């Protein structure tokens, strides 16, 4: 018997719905929210209103693209948290109504666990999924964690950021350079044209497998402030070199701890996940580490790096197999760990 799961993601500023049948992706529709651009960051109240407008069209479109009838859905999985409470509430409320109307179970999903499980979505690319245990560097706008993945639903955090996330470091430094939000993809693009050895920024000294990015942000800000004092066009003239040097610093910080953790835990099966795993510098560094250290690496398809419902549906699939369903009184949670 096949298992078909509808997944719903609404934790931040993307409204997404996906259909997965026996791990195979049938559709994955994502509606982004342009409304936040002019504010330089996500405005929670505007995000939840946009989710309300988007959710029904997005689900309708996901079912249509999948060629799936609503009667064929066995369960509906949704992001319970972590995320913005108002945004999560829209997804949770929709799913409660859908499950009640269809008489099918709801499955609550941890957004972070879902990012890690993108590697098990079956697509036309037929990439090999990681075997257990593996180490996953989960890097997004809200999180930076080294996760030891024991099986599909058992994960432990080996290290995490003690302050900003790597995506936040990209975005905040990009903002200082006058780039629009979110700056990460723009830094990546500019970096391709720049000299990464031109400038150097301080790297943190943090114990164990933990990360810190707030010092880099401050040192980047002060460096630019001093340079602009002497030459008001400094940023404009050096945009590409600044982006390349910044990107290299962030990637070096991420890779140093990943290498340390791999060595110390004796795990050489390594995966990336989360929005920042779209970064070309990080992807290249992984390919280099695979060649020099013999790591078996897993890099997600670009469409699964940022928030999407396919990752929620695949997590739902594994919870369905275990019979882990949510009660009707389930509520979203802004803060959640693994
Ligand atoms: O996973 P995600 O979509 O949302 C969160 O759960 O946070 O990650 C978004 C983050 C943003 O900080 C964005 O700037 C960053 O991922 N990002 C990138 C790139 N693409 C997205 N950072 C660096 N290079 C990229 N190519
Ligand atoms: Zn995310």
């Amino acid at each position: 018997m096949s298992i078909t799961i509808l997944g719903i993601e609404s934790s931040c500023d993307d409204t997404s719905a996906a259909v997965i049948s026996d791990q195979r992706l049938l559709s994955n529709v994502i509606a982004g929210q342009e409304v936040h651009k002019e504010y330089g960051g996500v405005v929670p109240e505007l995000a939840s209103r946009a989710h309300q407008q988007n959710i029904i069209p997005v689900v309708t479109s996901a079912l249509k693209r999948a060629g799936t009838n609503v009667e064929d859905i066995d369960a509906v999985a949704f992001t319970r948290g972590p995320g913005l409470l108002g945004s999560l509430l829209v997804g949770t409320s929709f799913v409660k109504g859908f499950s009640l109307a269809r008489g099918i179970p709801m499955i609550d999903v941890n957004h972070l666990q879902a990012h890690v499980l993108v590697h098990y979505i079956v697509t036309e690319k037929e990439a090999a999924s990681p075997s257990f245990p593996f180490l996953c560097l989960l890097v997004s706008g809200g999180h930076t964690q080294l996760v030891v993945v024991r099986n599909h639903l058992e994960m432990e955090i080996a290290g995490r950021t003690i302050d900003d996330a790597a995506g936040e470091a990209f975005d905040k430094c990009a903002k200082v350079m006058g780039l629009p939000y979110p700056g990460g993809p723009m830094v990546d693009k500019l970096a391709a044209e720049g000299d990464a050895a031109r400038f150097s920024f301080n790297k943190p000294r943090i114990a164990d497998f933990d990360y810190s990015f707030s010092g880099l942000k401050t040192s980047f800000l002060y460096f630019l402030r001093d340079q602009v004092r002497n030459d008001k066009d400094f940023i404009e003239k050096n945009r590409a070199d600044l982006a390349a040097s910044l990107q290299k610093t962030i990637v070096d910080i991420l890779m140093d701890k990943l290498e340390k953790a791999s060595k110390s835990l004796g795990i050489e099966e390594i995966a990336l996940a989360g929005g920042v795993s779209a970064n070309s510098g990080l992807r290249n560094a992984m390919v280099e580490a695979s060649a020099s250290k013999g790591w078996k690496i897993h890099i997600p398809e670009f469409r699964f790096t940022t928030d999407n419902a396919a990752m929620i549906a695949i997590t739902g699939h594994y919870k369905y197999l275990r019979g882990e369903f949510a009660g009707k009184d389930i509520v979203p949670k802004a803060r959640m760990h693994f």
Side-chain angles (χ1 to χ4, degrees):
M1 200 193 75
S2 74
I3 302 167
T4 303
I5 309 281
L6 170 67
I8 305 288
E9 155 64 28
S10 73
S11 66
C12 189
D13 61 341
D14 291 303
T15 318
S16 179
V19 180
I20 280 195
S21 191
D22 292 337
Q23 293 165 259
R24 183 164 286 280
L25 184 70
L26 300 184
S27 67
N28 183 38
V29 176
I30 305 173
Q33 302 181 356
E34 290 296 311
V35 65
H36 309 288
K37 273 225 157 78
E38 64 179 292
Y39 300 96
V42 177
V43 183
E45 177 56 29
L46 296 179
S48 40
R49 279 192 228 167
H51 282 304
Q52 280 178 331
Q53 285 171 352
N54 292 341
I55 195 144
I56 291 179
V58 162
V59 171
T60 308
S61 161
L63 289 170
K64 197 168 164 202
R65 285 192 206 177
T68 303
N69 291 320
V70 78
E71 295 78 22
D72 299 331
I73 303 289
D74 295 304
V76 54
F78 66 100
T79 307
R80 184 185 186 196
L84 301 169
L85 201 56
S87 292
L88 292 165
L89 259 173
V90 178
T92 311
S93 310
F94 171 84
V95 166
K96 282 186 180 180
F98 190 90
S99 114
L100 206 62
R102 296 293 330 139
I104 57 171
M106 296 186 281
I107 302 170
D108 54 305
V109 168
N110 179 320
H111 180 90
L112 301 174
Q113 205 166 43
H115 267 301
V116 174
L117 293 183
V118 292
H119 297 284
Y120 296 90
I121 300 168
V122 176
T123 69
E124 64 284 358
K125 293 232 155 102
E126 309 278 350
S129 302
S131 35
F132 302 114
F134 69 93
L135 194 58
C136 183
L137 174 62
L138 170 53
V139 267
S140 72
H143 301 272
T144 296
Q145 297 174 336
L146 276 170
V147 186
V148 181
V149 187
R150 305 250 175 241
N151 65 43
H152 293 113
L153 298 172
E154 266 139 54
M155 306 182 188
E156 282 155 42
I157 295 181
R160 57 154 59 95
T161 180
I162 58 163
D163 42 54
D164 291 347
E168 243 175 314
F170 269 109
D171 296 342
K172 286 180 177 172
C173 293
K175 196 171 177 182
V176 178
M177 286 173 65
L179 301 174
Y181 177 86
M186 200 84 122
V187 170
D188 192 354
K189 219 174 186 174
L190 283 169
E193 314 281 309
D195 173 7
R198 174 89 188 284
F199 305 110
S200 65
F201 305 106
N202 286 346
K203 291 189 189 148
R205 285 165 195 261
I206 303 286
D208 306 321
F209 309 134
D210 287 338
Y211 287 106
S212 166
F213 287 98
S214 67
L216 170 64
K217 176 192 66 192
T218 314
S219 99
F220 191 74
L221 175 71
Y222 288 170
F223 172 74
L224 287 189
R225 208 176 55 184
D226 292 346
Q227 298 301 319
V228 168
R229 244 183 233 139
N230 299 328
D231 175 4
K232 69 174 179 33
D233 297 325
F234 179 82
I235 297 177
E236 194 54 50
K237 286 181 194 157
N238 298 286
R239 221 174 259 276
D241 290 348
L242 283 167
S245 305
L246 171 69
Q247 177 166 300
K248 180 170 190 320
T249 310
I250 295 176
V251 170
D252 284 352
I253 296 172
L254 290 171
M255 292 303 291
D256 280 354
K257 288 294 170 93
L258 182 56
E259 284 165 18
K260 190 174 167 192
S262 156
K263 211 166 170 184
S264 150
L265 301 169
I267 303 176
E268 296 198 331
E269 182 115 13
I270 317 277
L272 287 183
V276 180
S277 64
N279 184 267
S280 53
L282 182 58
R283 292 167 95 93
N284 291 339
M286 284 285 285
V287 173
E288 278 165 27
S290 152
S292 64
K293 298 181 195 311
W295 286 358
K296 188 149 189 262
I297 58 165
H298 301 273
I299 298 178
E301 286 182 40
F302 280 109
R303 59 183 169 150
F304 300 142
T305 56
T306 47
D307 292 346
N308 65 85
M311 67 186 198
I312 306 302
I314 192 73
T315 311
H317 173 90
Y318 291 110
K319 291 191 86 171
Y320 186 96
L321 292 178
R322 282 200 190 180
E324 289 184 16
F325 302 118
K328 296 274 177 274
D329 54 353
I330 187 119
V331 287
K333 276 174 89 174
R335 288 176 169 274
M336 260 175 102
H337 301 293
F338 280 105

